[in-house]
């Protein structure tokens, strides 16, 4: 038998013959959407999940590596915000017939870039609001509305989303954030799959400690 090819982050379809799940990075065209290797969405079109993303605002959606994004997830960008410091919230300046002058940026509730870490799982129909930062390894439950930052390796559920618990103890979380397995070469990640899918956290902890000591 010939040697199996390594996983290819530039292949659009990670599962041959199945087009309802795609790697995001090779499919995006908008330069203000930046996605790391192997992150996927359960759909055949990722950019339709990013709404109110207007070029003139310049805000970015940044997603790390190995993220898992379920169907129906929506990333709401800053263009959805309306001016709230004035008497009316109606966006006259977006309607050409009103010939209205746009408000100053300082008068708009702009929240900055939306940043999703690495190995983040976002459940079905979750909504990520503008400017949110979700840390590495976090899990976002189905139907969540996320309007605040979510710490690494936390589980968040509800509307509004709230953290219900950490996935691991603080020591293991700190080790995971130092280890950054997603930044290793593909060949090494492939060899680490048995460890990455191991539910014995004590074994995992020791293996990470050994790996970190060998690389320092």
């Amino acid at each position: 038998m010939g040697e199996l090819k390594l996983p290819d982050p530039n292949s659009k379809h990670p599962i041959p013959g199945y087009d309802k799940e795609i790697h995001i990075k090779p499919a995006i065209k908008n330069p203000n959407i930046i996605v790391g290797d192997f992150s996927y969405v359960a759909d055949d079109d990722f950019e339709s999940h990013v709404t109110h993303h207007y070029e003139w605002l310049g805000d970015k959606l940044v997603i790390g590596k190995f993220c898992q994004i379920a169907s129906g997830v929506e990333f709401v960008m800053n263009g959805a915000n309306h001016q709230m410091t004035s008497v009316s919230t109606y966006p006259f300046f977006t309607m050409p017939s009103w010939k209205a002058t746009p408000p100053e940026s300082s008068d708009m509730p702009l929240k900055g870039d939306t940043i999703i870490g690495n190995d983040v799982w976002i459940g079905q129909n979750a909504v990520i609001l503008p400017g949110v930062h979700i840390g590495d390894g976090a899990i976002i439950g189905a139907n969540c509305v996320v309007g605040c930052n979510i710490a690494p390796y936390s589980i968040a559920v509800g509307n509004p989303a709230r953290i219900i618990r950490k996935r691991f103890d603080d020591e293991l979380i700190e080790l995971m954030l130092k280890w950054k397995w997603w930044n290793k070469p593909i060949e090494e990640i492939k060899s680490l799959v048995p460890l990455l899918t191991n539910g014995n956290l004590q074994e995992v902890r020791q293996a990470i400690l050994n790996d970190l000591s060998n690389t320092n």
Side-chain angles (χ1 to χ4, degrees), residues 52-68:
H52 309 282
H53 197 196
Y54 305 128
E55 184 178 355
W56 57 272
L57 276 176
D59 55 337
K60 293 179 172 60
L61 171 60
V62 181
I63 298 174
K65 301 175 182 178
F66 291 93
C67 290
Q68 314 112 59

Side-chain angles (χ1 to χ4, degrees), residues 115-163:
I115 300 177
I116 314 300
N118 304 279
D119 193 20
V120 173
W121 175 21
I122 303 179
Q124 190 166 326
N125 297 322
V127 177
I128 314 300
L129 296 181
V132 162
H133 291 199
I134 298 176
D136 296 329
I139 297 174
I140 307 301
N143 300 304
C144 272
V145 177
V146 186
C148 63
N149 295 344
I150 304 298
Y153 291 98
S154 296
I155 299 175
V157 300
N159 179 10
R162 60 183 182 86
I163 294 173

Side-chain angles (χ1 to χ4, degrees), residues 81-91 93 102-111:
N81 288 322
H82 291 218
Q83 184 181 10
M84 295 190 294
T85 57
S86 56
V87 173
S88 173
T89 59
Y90 194 85
F93 69 98
E104 297 293 329
S105 295
S106 58
D107 289 329
M108 295 293 289
L110 303 179
K111 305 294 185 181

